[in-house]
Amino acid sequence: AQTVTQSQPEMSVQEAETVTLSCTYDTSESNYYLFWYKQPPSRQMILVIRQEAYKQQNATENRFSVNFQKAAKSFSLKISDSQLGDTAMYFCAFSNRDDKIIFGKGTRLHILP
Amino acid sequence: DTGVSQDPRHKITKRGQNVTFRCDPISEHNRLYWYRQTLGQGPEFLTYFQNEAQLEKSRLLSDRFSAERPKGSFSTLEIQRTEQGDSAMYLCASSLPAGKGETQYFGPGTRLLVL
């Protein structure tokens, strides 16, 4: 069975700093997809970034980038120049070809002014 | 594109009552997913549909839970004889035809409180 582990329940950083959220996963499959979702307080879940396992190049979306280490089954999220609006719960997630998503327990990120 | 909508947004009910939630996906999405999220946890998969066909149900989905998507558009999730342990946020998501890690777009959720 696939599992997703986020070892940092909560983090705080100052505005404009860079922060890295950790995620490890376990699967026996070779073709899969990894995601970071953001859930702001009392707002709906939105996709931050997506990585296809067969692509070696790390995905980037503006200030958000990932460090995908397939052999180590590691998928961390880096947020550069953090902003107050980045305050949210961040979920690392995994899916395979059937597309049901398996989520980690989340990391609560606070951006401090 | 109005996004995924869910109704109601909040529901308070007494133990033993039945409740029904509705999800309207993005119009061109033929995949629809239900997840449950308890406080402090990530969402957990419950079931999903491709068009009107229910393709998989999690073992979390006891026989008190039933989901339908009769015309391949909106979906309903019914919980019969609610229990306090059913209190959670119920999330719906939709996506384009799958198999390629398609992005799932989430609705705002229905927060259920069973007293």
Side-chain angles (χ1 to χ4, degrees):
Chain A
Q2 293 91 359
T3 58
V4 178
T5 302
Q6 294 179 249
S7 58
Q8 305 150 312
E10 197 160 0
M11 299 181 71
S12 297
V13 296
Q14 295 292 137
E15 191 176 8
E17 290 185 348
T18 294
V19 60
T20 299
L21 280 58
S22 302
C23 173
T24 58
Y25 61 93
D26 191 24
T27 182
S28 58
E29 304 202 18
S30 58
N31 190 22
Y32 50 89
Y33 307 88
L34 296 164
F35 310 87
W36 280 96
Y37 275 89
K38 169 185 177 180
Q39 190 175 40
S42 301
R43 294 178 61 188
Q44 62 204 74
M45 188 102 64
I46 57 173
L47 180 68
V48 174
I49 200 164
R50 172 180 175 271
Q51 174 81 40
E52 298 171 17
Y54 62 86
K55 290 187 176 178
Q56 292 186 341
Q57 186 173 6
N58 289 325
T60 62
E61 287 288 343
N62 301 314
R63 298 182 295 107
F64 298 87
S65 62
V66 297
N67 183 4
F68 174 46
Q69 301 289 329
K70 191 171 185 179
K73 296 180 181 176
S74 170
F75 183 62
S76 61
L77 174 70
K78 185 171 83 172
I79 306 174
S80 303
D81 185 27
S82 57
Q83 301 174 359
L84 296 179
D86 296 333
T87 291
M89 196 76 168
Y90 286 81
F91 293 99
C92 179
F94 167 102
S95 78
N96 57 16
R97 282 176 294 175
D98 67 11
D99 283 341
K100 67 182 182 189
I101 296 179
I102 297 168
F103 289 88
K105 291 188 174 183
T107 295
R108 188 175 301 279
L109 177 63
H110 302 275
I111 308 299
L112 307 173
Chain B
D1 181 359
T2 57
V4 178
S5 62
Q6 293 186 245
D7 183 70
R9 296 289 304 277
H10 303 272
K11 179 71 176 179
I12 301 174
T13 192
K14 293 182 179 179
R15 185 164 51 95
Q17 298 294 305
N18 298 345
V19 293
T20 300
F21 310 141
R22 176 179 170 127
C23 171
D24 286 89
I26 293 171
S27 58
E28 63 268 26
H29 287 182
N30 70 350
R31 281 253 175 147
L32 187 148
Y33 303 80
W34 284 100
Y35 295 87
R36 180 171 68 186
Q37 184 178 21
T38 53
L39 205 60
Q41 302 294 318
E44 296 173 295
F45 168 79
L46 291 179
T47 187
Y48 78 100
F49 294 83
Q50 178 153 312
N51 300 313
E52 65 275 9
Q54 188 173 18
L55 297 187
E56 185 175 344
K57 293 192 293 185
S58 163
R59 63 179 182 274
L60 293 175
L61 214 64
S62 76
D63 55 8
R64 296 185 298 106
F65 288 71
S66 62
E68 293 182 341
R69 195 182 182 197
K71 298 181 179 179
S73 57
F74 72 91
S75 175
T76 58
L77 178 68
E78 181 183 17
I79 310 175
Q80 295 182 328
R81 304 181 304 281
T82 52
E83 301 174 355
Q84 289 184 326
D86 297 331
S87 295
M89 176 78 87
Y90 290 84
L91 297 170
C92 175
S94 70
S95 74
L96 290 168
K100 297 182 180 180
E102 293 295 335
T103 297
Q104 293 184 23
Y105 294 84
F106 283 79
T110 295
R111 186 172 296 281
L112 172 67
L113 177 61
V114 181
L115 301 177

